[in-house]
Amino acid sequence: MTELACPCLSGEQYPQCCQPLHDGLPSQTAEGLMRSRYSAFVLGKIDYLLDTLAPEQRQQIHREQLQETITQTHWLGLQVLDSSLDANDEATVEFVAWYQDTPMGQLHERSRFCKIEQRWFYLDGVMLKPIKPERNSPCFCGSGQKFKRCHGR
Ligand SMILES: [Zn+2]
Ligand SMILES: [Zn+2]
């Protein structure tokens, strides 16, 4: 992984991936927004995380909570498992975000997104059961190693 590799592990470099969204460009897709929110968690971009919340969510999620999550969580990688456009302005993305724990934890979530005036926003999500990583698949951390030789050891 190079220095500029995007934290969302798309394989793209940050300036070609999540950075333009962090700088204000609207995301074309809900999945893109989801990825850029993950990257914002990794990079500690709280304003972006707040700005991309659906208006009805803004009262529920507070800066302090986000700050706490950001300081306490060391993210290891992101896997987008599924994404679907449910209507013109509604989409669902299922993903697993991995983080450091003993030895690792995961947030497996199905998130809902809504589109308002050409911009996607995070609406809410439901937590799903943890997935079992396949031992012979590439590790979620983007190392290029098989899981069993990397974080699965
Ligand atoms: Zn990215
Ligand atoms: Zn790994």
Side-chain angles (χ1 to χ4, degrees), residues 54-66:
E56 57 262 53
Q57 284 296 319
R58 291 196 194 142
Q59 293 82 36
Q60 322 271 346
I61 297 178
H62 299 287
R63 180 172 283 270
E64 299 76 52
Q65 289 173 296
L66 283 174

Side-chain angles (χ1 to χ4, degrees), residues 13-30:
Q13 308 249 298
Y14 178 58
Q16 275 86 53
C17 188
C18 293
Q19 187 174 31
L21 306 186
H22 292 164
D23 289 345
L25 200 80
S27 174
Q28 298 299 308
T29 62

